[in-house]
Every structure is written in C-alpha cells, then in structure tokens.
Amino acid sequence: MENPSFGMFIAVFEEMFGPVLFWLMVTVAAAVTAVYLYVLIRDRAVSWRKFLLAQLSMPVGALAAVVFVWWVTNSGLGDVGGPVDVIVLLGVPALGAVGMAVFVYTVQSLIRGASQDDG
Amino acid sequence: MSTDKIMASRRAFLGAMATGGAAAALPMAAPAGAQQVATSASIVILGAGAAGAALANRLSARLDGATITIIDPRQRHLYQPGFTLIAAGLKPASYSVSTTAEWLPSGVRWIEQGAAGIDPESQTVITDGGETVDYDYLILATGLELHYEGIEGMSRDVIGQNGIGSFYAGPDEAAATWREMDRFTETGGRALFTRPATEMKCAGAPLKYTFLTDHYLREKGSRSRSEVIYAAHSNSLFGVPIVHEKLRMLYDDRGFDTVYNHVMTAIDPGAKVATFDTPDGPVEIGFDFTNVIPPMRAPAVIRESGLAWEDRWVGQGWAEVDPYSLRHRRYPNVFAAGDVAGVPKGKTAASVKWQVPVVEDQLVAQIAGDTTDRSYNGYTSCPMITRVGRAMLIEFDYNDNLTPSFPGIIAPLEELWVSWLIKDIALKPTYYAMLRGRA
C-alpha cells in the first residue's frame, strides 16, 4: 500500500475533532511544552521538589488516560486480545503519566516561581 | 486548563494511534499533488455518495477549466460503515448522517435530481426532472439498490417490528434494528442471520452482526436460553478462503449453528418464519429476531443503460468495467467507482478509497492524451467486529491474498482491541477526509 502523507494525517485529525478544536488542542499542547521548556531554562535546573510532586501525579495521569480510552471506545481490560493490545495498553498510561508530570511541573513552576525551589 | 491538557494529550494519542490504523482500513492514496491539467471537458458524475463526492473533489482540484456536474437527488450523505455501530446501540442514528452539500466543492454544479436515463452513444444523461446533460466523460457512482421486494413478504415497512431488523436500510432502520435486538437479547430465543446470494456491500456486516448479537446475549445472561443461526448463501461464510476458515472456527467457538447454501426467499413477519431456497428444496426456519439483508443490484438507470454486464451477475446490472482500470469495457469515456462497479470485490468504503485515485488518474491521463499504469487490485477491508471491544482487521485483494497494512504488528486474523479502536474512532474521520479528496 502507499504510504500515508503528513497532510493526510492532518486532514483526518481535522475531521476527527473539527478544524477549530484540533488546532486549539495543538496550540494548547505546544504552549504547555513551550512553557515547560521556558521554566527549565529560566530556573536553569530541575527542581526536585517540584519533580517529586510531578512524579506523584503520574499514576493519576496514567489511570485517567486508560479510563478515558476505555470510556471513549466502549471497551475495557477484558478486550485485550493480543501482544499489540498489551503494548498499546502500556503505552496509553505511559503517555498519560508523562503528560501529567510535565503539566504538574510546569504549573508549579509558574505558580511558585524559581525562588521556592529546592529544599 | 488541566482537563483541557489531559483531554488534548489523550485525544492526540488516541488519534495518532488510531489514525495509523485507519490507514490500514481505509488505505491512503497518493495525494492529488500532481500537476493540473487544462481542459474544457465536460465530466458528469452520477451519484454524490462516497465515490462521487471524493471524485468531484479530486477532479476539481486536478483539472483546470473542466465542467464538472454531479447528479444526485439525495440531500443526506450517509456514512454507511456506521450502520453496524448504530444497530449495536453504540452510536445514535445521527452518527451516520451529514449533508451532501457539505462534501461538494464549490466549483461543481450539483443537479439535485435523479438520473432517469443514460445514452452512451449520444453521450447524454437525462434526469428525472427532464433535463438533458451532455458529457464527454461519465463516472458511474450511483451506489446500489436494496431490493427488498426480492424477498417475498419483506419490505422496509416491517423493519423494527416482530423481531425483524435490517440495518442496511438506513440510520433510522439501523436504530430500529437495535431496539429489536436489545429487546430480543433481554429474553433470548432464536436469532437468525442471513445474507443474499447477490453481490453485496460489506459482506462482513451480517457476520459482524451475528457476533454482536451473541455479545449482548452473553452480557445479559440469556445466551444459554438462545440459539444463534447463521444461514450462509453458499458453501462458505466469506469469499476469501482463509478468512472463511477463521470465521468457521470462531463461529464454532461461539456455538453458532451455521447452515450453508441457504438463500432467504420469503419471510412471514406475523408467523416469524423465514423461507430459504436450499439444494434440498425450500426450508423454513422460525426466528425471534432476525436481521434481513436484501438482495442487491445496480439502480435501474444503470441496469437499463446498456452499460451493465450482460453475461456476468445476470440480473444484477453492475457496470461493465475493467477490474483494474475501472474503465468501461465498451465505452472508454465511461468509468465506474464504488458499489455499482462490476468488479469481483470492492463494495466497501475502503475499496472506494482505493478506487477513486485510480479513476482520477486514468481519466486525467486520458484527457491529457496520455496513459497510466495506475490500477485497482481489488483491495477491500473489513473490520470484522467479533464482540463489542474487539475486531479483526481483515484486508484482502482480488486474488484472495491477505494484504495487512501492519504485517507483524496488527495480525489480520486475530481478535484485537486495537482493531476495534480503529473501527470505533478513526474510520469515520478518515472517510470524511477521503470525501474531501484529502486522504
């Protein structure tokens, strides 16, 4: 089969969410990532106290991701049927955990600022 | 903010994962990035369904100066792959409904009438409003006709009563089918599933629906009080032998009673009895719930146009096109795409996805005085739902070869959650992107 193009993926996403919501989500994701990089550069160090809280939030993100996927797709744990399903089922919480950690770290950095850093 | 972020990342992931899979079930064509061709040709497309709308978009982007006319009276566009999900209670009837207008490009003239006649000699189409439309090139994309009258006692009016469903008829009928199935699976009884002996769109749908009904019988605890019968029209469950074998094993595993060479010829809604033509003569089977799938054929305008096969699929009237170029075998300025094309496989949305760029390239090359090797290999895809939450992503071609898009990753004959995710969330947006000519 022929390879899908990048433009095709964009087209599918636009149909999936509607162009406005899709590009809004892309913008929000890009903004959070940019702010995360900003606070890292601003503070010139990883704050381990903030990182601890971020780590503690990871299971919440992981669980939320899996439950959300099951809810959206009318499916559940019992539907895992093969190795690729296990890989996806591990990948979903991994992404959820990392996304949540980045988000929590960024929010803390913005609220608390660099001054209350490491204890 | 945090909710938005979580939703965004989750959705983005889901989309990325499932879109990759959708590339499998609705394979991606090369983008229509080729150079525009200048022409004053008049192109008429009969039908604004999946194939017609996609071709209108692609050709209007590809041709500079062409007059493109699309003839179709239907105001609603129906996403037909959603019908099984509606009939399984997973989506509302509105899930499949959009408007024809939103998929047509602005430069195309839309005649909101039906086609009443085609004269391939004088190269004209006559609409049911009496308008005569001349063409240089004609694309047949009318879809097909559900011939309910081909089953004695059956009509659209009986759908949704007496345990009779028929989700092919449309989104409302699919919802009515769900109401009957939902009611039936509460109590249990005998469920009877069939398919016609004609060519049909999505030959996997009757099989899926048998699995789905079984799923709800088990979920509601009424399976032990029930009988699930599948009446195959031939001596196999599916035209691709390796898929038939897999399905046969799954049907045995689920405890379905499969009977072969049974073609439904009549139904008595009041008595809840269906009659089948079999090699041993007529056989009657009673039911508490059934999903009737009518015989299918080309619309009358195609059957009576002189453009249909005469020696193949007799009585069904599919357009006589070369299976690889999709060009008419006797009238080289006529093409067919979608359900109406007289080719051995390919009556699915995924097939349309594959056929449309072939017709586009063949037609554009012809207009430019050139030729192209671009051809359709019979690619067809069927996300075979085996229960709510699992499916097999079956893809195959004219030669009955399996053509998995992700060999070694998504196994075609394995019941997988990933394949279900693709069907559930990614196919519809991929289909709509295809309509716009963007996928």
Side-chain angles (χ1 to χ4, degrees), chain A residues 1-5 7-17 25 28-29 32 61-62 64-66 68-76 78-86 88-89 91-92 95-100 102-103 107, chain B residues 1-2 4-17 19-20 23-24 27-31 90-91 103 354 374 387-390 395 405 409-410 414-421 424-426 429-430 432-433 436 438-439:
Chain A
M1 73 179 277
E2 290 156 272
N3 291 324
S5 69
M8 185 281 297
F9 275 98
I10 297 294
V12 171
F13 282 126
E14 286 188 0
E15 296 296 341
M16 190 178 287
F17 302 109
M25 290 191 311
V28 168
V32 170
V66 173
F68 179 73
V69 170
W70 284 339
W71 175 64
V72 166
T73 62
N74 300 294
S75 56
D79 293 319
V80 168
V84 66
D85 291 345
V86 176
V88 171
L89 193 61
V92 170
L95 277 174
V98 170
M100 181 65 108
V102 168
F103 178 71
V107 169
Chain B
M1 173 71 179
S2 93
D4 286 350
K5 168 65 172 54
I6 294 165
M7 294 283 279
S9 60
R10 241 46 95 234
R11 283 248 176 208
F13 169 73
L14 263 183
M17 183 179 65
T19 303
M28 302 314 155
L90 301 170
K91 307 284 183 191
W103 307 115
W354 203 241
R374 193 72 184 264
R387 69 183 214 196
V388 175
R390 274 194 197 169
E395 301 163 273
S405 293
I409 300 173
I410 299 184
E414 217 171 284
E415 297 177 77
L416 296 174
W417 176 53
V418 163
S419 301
W420 167 262
L421 298 185
D424 195 49
I425 58 175
T430 308
Y432 285 150
R436 293 193 198 279
R438 296 181 68 194

Side-chain angles (χ1 to χ4, degrees), chain A residues 36-88:
Chain A
Y36 175 64
L37 292 174
Y38 160 75
V39 297
L40 285 183
I41 294 166
R42 180 195 66 184
D43 301 346
R44 297 188 190 285
V46 172
S47 158
W48 295 108
R49 173 169 293 177
K50 289 171 192 157
F51 191 63
L52 178 66
L53 191 57
Q55 277 184 311
L56 290 173
S57 75
M58 288 174 91
V60 177
L63 189 65
V66 173
V67 170
F68 179 73
V69 170
W70 284 339
W71 175 64
V72 166
T73 62
N74 300 294
S75 56
L77 181 63
D79 293 319
V80 168
V84 66
D85 291 345
V86 176
I87 293 167
V88 171

Side-chain angles (χ1 to χ4, degrees), chain B residues 364-416:
Chain B
V364 171
Q366 192 169 342
I367 287 172
D370 199 357
T371 58
T372 175
D373 293 334
R374 193 72 184 264
S375 71
Y376 172 62
N377 69 354
Y379 179 93
T380 302
S381 169
C382 175
M384 176 67 69
I385 296 168
T386 57
R387 69 183 214 196
V388 175
R390 274 194 197 169
M392 299 191 293
L393 191 58
I394 298 169
E395 301 163 273
F396 51 92
D397 64 15
Y398 280 142
N399 298 321
D400 293 338
N401 294 319
L402 293 177
T403 55
S405 293
F406 301 97
I409 300 173
I410 299 184
L413 299 179
E414 217 171 284
E415 297 177 77
L416 296 174

Side-chain angles (χ1 to χ4, degrees), chain B residues 130-145:
Chain B
E131 192 174 337
T132 301
V133 186
D134 297 319
Y135 67 82
D136 299 314
Y137 299 94
L138 176 66
I139 297 170
L140 308 174
T142 55
L144 55 67
E145 182 182 287

Side-chain angles (χ1 to χ4, degrees), chain B residues 84-116:
Chain B
T84 41
L85 298 177
I86 297 169
L90 301 170
K91 307 284 183 191
S94 59
Y95 175 73
S96 279
V97 183
S98 58
T99 63
T100 300
E102 69 195 90
W103 307 115
L104 297 182
S106 56
V108 166
R109 181 184 176 216
W110 175 24
I111 299 177
E112 297 173 41
Q113 298 174 27

Side-chain angles (χ1 to χ4, degrees), chain B residues 44-48 69-73 110-111 113-115 125 127 133:
Chain B
V44 171
I45 303 171
L46 294 191
T69 306
I70 195 159
I71 300 175
D72 196 323
W110 175 24
I111 299 177
Q113 298 174 27
V125 173
T127 69
V133 186

